[in-house]
Amino acid sequence: MDKLSTFYKHMLADLWSRLISLYYQPKNDGEADSPPVIYSILKQTKLVDLTEDKAVVECENSGVKMFLEKKVKDIENKLFTLTQKRIKITFSIIEKKTKKTPPLFSFQSSIENLLANAGLPIKYSFDNFAVSSTNQVAYAAAQAVVANPGKNYNPLFIYGGVGVGKTHLACAIGRKILEQNPKKKVFFCPGDLFINELIESIQEKTTQQFRKKYRRLDVLIVDDIQFIAGKERVQEDFFHTFNSIVSAGGQIILTSDRPPNEISKLEDRLRSRFLGGLTVDIQPPDFELRTAILLIKAREKGIVLDIEAAKIIAEKVDDCRALEGTLLTIYANFFIKEKKEKIDLEVVDSFFSQKEQNNQKKITVNDVLKTICSYYNVKISQIKDQTRISNFVFPRQVVMYVLREHLKLKQEEIARLLKRKDHTTIIHGVEKVRQLILKNPLIKEEIDTILKNLSLST
Ligand code: ADP
Ligand code: MG
């Protein structure tokens, strides 16, 4: 496959997964919450072709196809929010390839097969993992585990915020161990998969098989173990799985969005097991690391990216996942549309200034009201009401703040919109929120979420 078609596939996959995530963002608080059906169904589909005005989405079977066809308008609207283009979606059913009969003996399984059997994504390895001050401790711990799996740090518990590279690092360990010794039974398992498989095996009375599969492993990696919180039966089984693997000399690697002592509704005996190995954290990537990651991602996708341009992107975008998304969007906009050969300063500059313009002109007062009201679960009429009930006062002040600071509306104008007689109320409200943001990180997070929702809703 040439570079361009590899890139094209990446781009489609990335766009599609961003669209799917508009339907549901898994919560990070470890509580069980179930995604909407359409989300789960969309996850089984693939965007396989995309032009300026048409998209083809591949479905597993006709049931999925029929379900999605009923929702096509909504999906097209979501696609519009991401691409700013009216694109018509059609659904097709995967053509089943006739199964090739496997060769009688296969002497050597390629690394791809090994990885696939272990559930490890091919894209994550140490070779494409950049190290800087924010992740060097975790990296060193990972290396120590690779050198002596099952011996030193059991479990290795890696925690950190979204997109800091936990999954990447955990997978890289599994891969390296397999490369060193292809006979090792390595298995990578997203936390929710482990839970679902166990629940299924209980329903279908196949727990024996489930146990056999997990308890005989040399290396078990469970990604996002925090999902186990509050699930007693699953914790019980995981406790035994954990013990059998460790006592047989195997290695356990866990990732989580928080350290073991902050996972609520976790049995004490599991918590103490988790803390019994080595717990390391990964901090949000610093500027150098973000630049390095961009350069790595660009190289992998066959995109020519100037280092100066990478630095500008790294300055403006601070989370890893968004880095990759931004890179792909810029590439799609300039390489494919304008036939630029590389991403340089000029391209980046015009991308960000276009984006700025779009942002400014698109968000309306109504968007602000709707987003904030739905966030705080109040009605727009309650915001515009004179009542001083505290449930409405704060959301109202947030509205003032966003209209003033982000839409740059005049105080008088805001007063009129919110039916306040006097614009000093607005000055007071805006100032109050501004102070709270400075003092209280939770409030800051709240406002950031609102602003994010706001830019998604337009
Ligand atoms: P997490 O599991 O912590 O949410 P991921 O491992 O999924 O984060 O990382 C998000 C994205 O950022 C992935 O594409 C990953 O390859 C990339 N990434 C994160 N950290 C690094 C790094 N140090 N070097 C290279 N890529 C990284
Ligand atoms: Mg992850």
Side-chain angles (χ1 to χ4, degrees):
M1 207 170 356
D2 62 25
K3 272 186 182 166
L4 189 57
S5 62
T6 317
F7 167 74
Y8 181 64
K9 281 197 172 163
H10 273 298
M11 196 194 73
L12 295 186
D14 179 73
L15 177 64
W16 200 235
S17 81
R18 282 193 291 141
L19 179 135
I20 295 172
S21 66
L22 292 182
Y23 280 96
Y24 171 70
Q25 290 275 339
K27 287 208 188 104
N28 266 321
D29 58 4
E31 296 295 321
D33 65 331
S34 65
V37 175
I38 184 158
Y39 173 81
S40 313
I41 290 190
L42 280 170
K43 286 200 89 164
Q44 304 167 24
T45 63
K46 217 164 130 184
L47 178 61
V48 291
D49 197 12
L50 178 70
T51 63
E52 285 282 296
D53 56 355
K54 284 199 193 85
V56 181
V57 173
E58 209 169 60
C59 311
E60 291 268 331
N61 54 49
S62 59
V64 169
K65 181 168 182 261
M66 268 151 62
F67 178 90
L68 292 174
E69 275 167 350
K70 292 201 192 102
K71 316 255 177 202
V72 68
K73 280 281 157 296
D74 187 59
I75 303 171
E76 285 173 352
N77 287 339
K78 293 262 190 311
L79 193 55
F80 178 77
T81 61
L82 294 175
T83 60
Q84 302 302 313
K85 293 214 167 55
R86 287 284 162 211
I87 298 173
K88 205 174 149 24
I89 301 181
T90 50
F91 298 97
S92 70
I93 296 174
I94 297 180
E95 286 168 41
K96 288 247 160 52
K97 293 201 185 78
T98 41
K99 267 201 186 140
K100 284 194 213 110
T101 38
L104 214 43
F105 300 103
S106 88
F107 289 104
Q108 206 184 8
S109 12
S110 64
I111 183 75
E112 271 93 11
N113 281 337
L114 285 172
L115 292 174
N117 288 337
L120 285 165
I122 295 175
K123 57 184 176 180
Y124 296 141
S125 72
F126 280 120
D127 297 338
N128 61 6
F129 189 81
V131 184
S132 100
S133 60
T134 53
N135 61 8
Q136 64 187 17
V137 175
Y139 177 78
Q143 294 295 341
V145 167
V146 166
N148 266 315
K151 296 283 176 329
N152 296 336
Y153 304 125
N154 226 348
L156 174 61
F157 192 103
I158 305 169
Y159 73 91
V162 178
V164 295
K166 302 180 297 290
T167 302
H168 189 143
L169 187 61
C171 289
I173 302 174
R175 177 179 183 139
K176 191 76 191 177
I177 293 175
L178 259 186
E179 283 173 349
Q180 285 173 354
N181 184 351
K183 292 218 171 62
K184 289 252 168 160
K185 290 193 287 297
V186 175
F187 193 67
F188 171 84
C189 185
D192 49 344
L193 185 79
F194 183 83
I195 294 165
N196 290 347
E197 252 189 73
L198 178 61
I199 294 174
E200 243 167 58
S201 78
I202 294 169
Q203 282 167 352
E204 290 166 14
K205 304 194 175 56
T206 52
T207 40
Q208 285 305 328
Q209 270 151 274
F210 177 85
R211 288 184 185 148
K212 230 171 161 180
K213 170 172 166 191
Y214 282 98
R215 295 189 186 174
R216 291 187 179 170
L217 292 170
D218 298 309
V219 180
L220 172 62
I221 306 166
V222 184
D223 199 18
D224 290 317
I225 188 74
Q226 76 272 5
F227 286 130
I228 206 174
K231 308 201 170 63
E232 283 141 38
R233 178 69 171 79
V234 179
Q235 292 190 17
E236 155 104 37
D237 226 277
F238 187 63
F239 180 74
H240 296 299
T241 306
F242 190 107
N243 289 340
S244 10
I245 293 178
V246 170
S247 60
Q251 172 73 43
I252 309 254
I253 299 156
L254 305 171
T255 77
S256 164
D257 64 350
R258 68 198 71 186
N261 43 8
E262 285 174 23
I263 304 179
S264 60
K265 297 191 198 146
L266 182 68
E267 279 182 27
D268 284 340
R269 56 179 187 172
L270 260 187
R271 192 188 314 276
S272 81
R273 283 286 184 283
F274 289 179
L275 287 165
L278 178 66
T279 304
V280 288
D281 74 329
I282 305 185
Q283 292 293 319
D286 54 20
F287 169 72
E288 287 75 20
L289 186 56
R290 295 200 299 274
T291 312
I293 292 173
L294 271 169
L295 293 168
I296 290 176
K297 299 282 170 197
R299 198 182 55 214
E300 279 176 3
K301 294 172 173 31
I303 299 173
V304 186
L305 170 67
D306 277 359
I307 182 152
E308 293 78 21
K311 284 185 185 161
I312 302 290
I313 304 175
E315 226 161 61
K316 296 206 171 259
V317 181
D318 51 15
D319 107 52
C320 286
R321 300 216 176 131
L323 279 180
E324 199 172 346
T326 309
L327 180 67
L328 290 173
T329 315
I330 297 180
Y331 192 74
N333 282 346
F334 291 89
F335 184 87
I336 296 181
K337 270 202 304 211
E338 295 190 10
K339 309 266 182 284
K340 296 263 196 231
E341 275 166 21
K342 60 174 185 173
I343 300 182
D344 54 15
L345 277 179
E346 192 197 334
V347 166
V348 171
D349 180 46
S350 61
F351 172 76
F352 283 109
S353 50
Q354 259 177 33
K355 199 170 153 190
E356 194 97 318
Q357 276 174 9
N358 289 347
N359 282 351
Q360 279 171 4
K361 73 168 175 270
K362 268 186 312 194
I363 298 175
T364 65
V365 172
N366 224 356
D367 294 331
V368 172
L369 283 169
K370 269 199 270 179
T371 307
I372 295 176
C373 287
S374 84
Y375 185 87
Y376 290 108
N377 206 5
V378 296
K379 297 204 180 77
I380 294 186
S381 58
Q382 293 167 329
I383 291 279
K384 290 187 175 172
D385 201 82
Q386 298 298 324
T387 145
R388 301 200 47 85
I389 301 174
S390 64
N391 283 358
F392 310 140
V393 172
F394 185 63
R396 191 183 291 140
Q397 288 172 333
V398 174
V399 169
M400 295 174 187
Y401 173 82
V402 173
L403 290 179
R404 179 80 192 112
E405 298 281 291
H406 293 271
L407 268 66
K408 310 281 181 217
L409 259 55
K410 294 206 179 73
Q411 282 136 5
E412 293 75 11
E413 210 173 334
I414 301 173
R416 193 175 44 74
L417 279 164
L418 296 178
K419 305 207 172 102
R420 304 287 125 173
K421 286 195 201 80
D422 182 356
H423 74 266
T424 51
T425 328
I426 311 295
I427 299 179
H428 170 76
V430 173
E431 197 46 40
K432 172 95 184 290
V433 177
R434 203 183 279 154
Q435 289 305 325
L436 278 172
I437 291 175
L438 291 176
K439 275 190 233 138
N440 185 337
L442 289 177
I443 301 277
K444 176 166 187 319
E445 212 169 285
E446 227 172 271
I447 306 291
D448 284 345
T449 310
I450 288 174
L451 292 174
K452 228 182 245 165
N453 292 349
L454 199 55
S455 59
L456 282 179
S457 75
T458 53

